[in-house]
Amino acid sequence: MVTAAAYAVTSADSRFEKTTVQRRELGPLDVLIEIKFAGICHSDIHTARNEWGSTHYPVVPGHEIAGVVSAVGSEVTKHRVGDRVGVGCFVDSCGECDACRADEEQYCVNRATGTYNATGRDGEWTQGGYSTHIVVTEHFVLSIPDGLELDVAAPLLCAGITLYSPLAHWGAGPGKKVAVIGMGGLGHVGVKIAHAMGADVTVLSQSLGKKDDGLKFGAGHYYATSDPGTFAQLRGQFDLIVNTVSVNLDIDAYMSMLAINGTLVELGLPEKPIEVRAFSLAANRRSLAGSMVGGIAQTQEMLNFCAEHGIGAEIEVISADQIDGAYDRVVGSDVRYRFVIDTATI
Ligand SMILES: [Zn+2]
Ligand SMILES: [Zn+2]
């Protein structure tokens, strides 16, 4: 066993405290990673505060992990000691179902094992990346290409793949008009990736407050959704709209901006069911879809793509004793654009 230092919460309203977690003994296919950086994802906050009602305490969140391999099991072939690696939202899956065979482990019919707050195959609760070390089976460990710094790479492991997967699936590229709703931790990465894929990118944000950033990240156009004129002006325009906002929006209004055969992909997880009129779908033969992170192969493809195009997340690095304050700022949309914990401070 490896004793790793970590930051955990012990209840929905407790603050983060330093503790230790036991990482399992290295099996033949396991990789021991010395974590260098861990991004803060909104899912971490929902889990730490038990907002989804399924949290097992104590919990160490963190599924945007970047680090360096410090030991490998006897049969590991994919990674070597010293390799720069990452871990995303899941650390295991059955490997045998149709989804797993199709490299879509995130949709494993037997449920992929979450990086934290899930039960591993050994029956123990998984604990995430706000920690100095983690043990993960080699298949679920990604290679971080040279040229991608570990701190800006960490958020790509969740935010990056959450955007890359639907953009790739629905064919964002030259000649395609793509809109990104929301310019937060997810949205800003989506703008960069969609632009690098060659699409004509529009940001739909509540205000024009982040317009300069949006244009710098590669958007060609930037509109405020608080202006009702925006919806009339952009009617029937987009081939693809990705919604990164986790609140219940007037989806019909956004659907009206889709062109013929256009698709609106829901990436946020709003509290209440999504309401949409059948007419919004019928008109222009539109689709409303969802997407959840991406498989391991596609996550590697995304990291390679980001390295090739010089794409990293925009980050604010914090020390581990600043996590509580960072959570409050994420909830208040007061971060440009992702917090990353420097795990050397744990
Ligand atoms: Zn996440
Ligand atoms: Zn499976």
Side-chain angles (χ1 to χ4, degrees):
M1 301 271 261
V2 175
T3 302
Y7 266 69
V9 282
T10 53
S11 72
D13 50 12
S14 72
R15 295 176 67 82
F16 274 89
E17 282 175 27
K18 188 170 174 173
T19 183
T20 57
V21 291
Q22 297 300 315
R23 301 301 190 182
R24 67 171 180 259
E25 203 71 53
L26 274 198
L29 293 173
D30 282 340
V31 176
L32 174 64
I33 300 164
E34 184 187 349
I35 299 171
K36 298 290 190 187
F37 297 98
I40 292 179
C41 171
H42 214 128
S43 300
D44 300 354
I45 301 173
H46 289 307
T47 303
R49 298 180 172 175
N50 199 21
E51 288 164 356
W52 288 331
S54 59
T55 305
H56 176 270
Y57 295 99
V59 64
V60 178
H63 60 203
E64 295 184 337
I65 298 169
V68 175
V69 175
S70 56
V72 295
S74 57
E75 292 171 24
V76 168
T77 56
K78 192 177 159 190
H79 304 286
R80 285 185 297 193
V81 172
D83 282 359
R84 302 159 77 249
V85 294
V87 177
C89 298
F90 49 95
V91 290
D92 206 353
S93 70
C94 83
E96 290 166 2
C97 71
D98 288 347
C100 286
R101 285 172 190 270
D103 293 329
E104 303 266 29
E105 299 92 342
Q106 76 278 27
Y107 304 131
C108 173
V109 298
N110 298 306
R111 281 214 181 170
T113 304
T115 302
Y116 58 81
N117 198 45
T119 318
R121 271 195 240 184
D122 55 4
E124 300 291 327
W125 285 91
T126 56
Q127 301 290 0
Y130 300 2
S131 177
T132 55
H133 297 81
I134 191 168
V135 173
V136 178
T137 192
E138 66 167 344
H139 177 72
F140 296 89
V141 178
L142 289 306
S143 299
I144 296 180
D146 291 340
L148 201 50
E149 296 298 331
L150 292 180
D151 53 358
V152 300
L156 299 178
L157 275 306
C158 174
I161 188 61
T162 296
L163 271 296
Y164 182 90
S165 186
L167 289 169
H169 182 81
W170 277 279
K176 290 288 171 74
K177 290 187 174 180
V178 174
V180 178
I181 305 174
M183 257 282 287
L186 295 176
H188 89 283
V189 179
V191 170
K192 289 186 178 192
I193 292 174
H195 172 66
M197 286 174 167
D200 180 25
V201 184
T202 297
V203 175
L204 303 171
S205 183
Q206 227 178 351
S207 75
L208 297 178
K210 298 173 182 169
K211 182 176 178 180
D212 290 347
D213 281 355
L215 300 182
K216 192 175 79 190
F217 300 156
H221 326 273
Y222 202 107
Y223 292 89
T225 53
S226 53
D227 176 359
T230 292
F231 293 88
Q233 194 181 345
L234 298 176
R235 190 170 189 83
Q237 287 290 305
F238 300 109
D239 301 296
L240 178 64
I241 301 176
V242 289
N243 179 19
T244 69
V245 175
S246 277
V247 296
N248 288 89
L249 300 174
D250 178 357
I251 291 297
D252 291 306
Y254 286 90
M255 294 286 286
S256 74
M257 292 192 269
L258 286 174
I260 295 173
N261 294 328
T263 302
L264 188 151
V265 185
E266 275 288 320
L267 301 174
L269 297 169
E271 206 180 318
K272 294 185 193 134
I274 296 166
E275 282 189 28
V276 61
R277 288 180 195 185
F279 185 78
S280 297
L281 298 167
N284 277 2
R285 197 164 49 209
R286 297 171 177 130
S287 301
L288 177 62
S291 178
M292 194 174 71
V293 291
I296 293 299
Q298 193 178 44
T299 304
Q300 189 62 58
E301 179 185 303
M302 176 275 302
L303 289 169
N304 297 347
F305 178 89
C306 287
E308 192 182 318
H309 292 274
I311 295 172
E314 301 293 316
I315 59 166
E316 189 174 324
V317 177
I318 61 165
S319 57
D321 58 4
Q322 296 176 304
I323 296 170
D324 296 292
Y327 273 24
D328 292 337
R329 285 184 53 198
V330 171
V331 171
S333 298
D334 176 26
V335 51
R336 295 195 179 190
Y337 284 86
R338 205 69 156 171
F339 284 114
V340 171
I341 302 162
D342 178 351
T343 60
T345 63
I346 291 179

